[in-house]
Amino acid sequence: MSAFKIAIGCDHGGYELKQAIVLYLRSKDPFTDKYSVVIKDFGCYDTASVDYPDYAKAVCETITEGGNEFGILICGTGIGISIAANRHIHIRAGLCYTPETAALTRQHNNANVLCLGGRQTTAEQAYAIVDAFFTAQFEGGRHQKRLDKL
Ligand code: RB5
C-alpha cells in the first residue's frame, strides 16, 4: 500500500486543529493502518492573524503542479478557505463537518481537498472525518459525467 501525499495548510482559525491532524496522520502505521501519508505542512505556523487565500493558494498550487495528490485546508469555519480553494483549476474542495459527508465528497465529487472548520470541529471529530475521506474511493460512472461539466 502506498502512502498518500498530502499538502496541509490553514489560517490562524485552523492552526490548532492543523497541528492535531498533522500529529494524527504522521502517527499512522503503514503496516497496520488502512492508509498512511506523507504530509507537507504549508503553514501557518502559529496563531498570528493571516489571510486564508494565501494558504489555499500554496496547497492548491502544489496539487495542480503534481507535487501532492491531496490537500487539507482549515480555517475557522472552513467556508472561506473552501471558497478560495475552489477558485483554483482542477481543485475540487469539499467542506465537511461529518465523516458521512467526507466519504461522500470522495465517492461522488472526487474531492482532492478536504476543508475543515477549526472552530467548529473537535480534534476527535476531525480524525474520524479525515479517516472517512482517505478510505473512501471515487465511484466514477454518473459522477464522472457531472465532474466533466464543472
Ligand atoms: C478568521 O477569523 C476567520 O474569518 C477565518 O478563519 C474563516 O473562518 C473564514 O471563513
Side-chain angles (χ1 to χ4, degrees):
M1 183 190 67
S2 62
F4 293 123
K5 287 172 70 182
I6 300 174
I8 194 166
C10 67
D11 76 354
H12 51 289
Y15 172 73
E16 287 184 13
L17 187 59
K18 174 176 69 73
Q19 297 305 102
I21 289 172
V22 167
L23 286 178
Y24 177 70
L25 287 175
R26 285 188 173 146
S27 76
K28 293 282 183 190
D29 181 337
F31 291 98
T32 59
D33 284 307
K34 286 185 180 161
Y35 70 98
S36 62
V37 308
V38 176
I39 190 161
K40 183 169 181 188
D41 186 349
F42 284 80
C44 61
Y45 302 111
D46 57 38
T47 56
S49 184
V50 293
D51 300 331
Y52 56 80
D54 298 335
Y55 297 87
K57 183 172 191 284
V59 165
C60 292
E61 284 185 351
T62 194
I63 294 170
T64 54
E65 288 162 8
N68 291 277
E69 56 187 344
F70 288 107
I72 300 174
L73 287 169
I74 313 166
C75 68
T77 58
I79 297 171
I81 211 157
S82 64
I83 292 171
N86 278 311
R87 297 178 76 101
H88 292 266
I89 193 160
H90 303 314
I91 295 298
R92 295 173 302 280
L95 170 58
C96 298
Y97 285 179
T98 65
E100 290 75 18
T101 49
L104 283 166
T105 201
R106 286 287 305 123
Q107 292 162 350
H108 290 192
N109 314 124
N110 199 14
N112 50 10
V113 175
L114 171 65
C115 296
L116 297 166
R119 295 174 179 150
Q120 315 300 322
T121 303
T122 67
E124 289 298 326
Q125 290 169 335
Y127 302 155
I129 291 169
V130 166
D131 284 345
F133 186 89
F134 287 108
T135 54
Q137 288 176 353
F138 180 50
E139 292 175 356
R142 68 187 190 282
H143 303 297
Q144 183 60 56
K145 178 168 69 85
R146 293 161 186 165
L147 295 186
D148 291 342
K149 294 185 177 186
L150 289 175

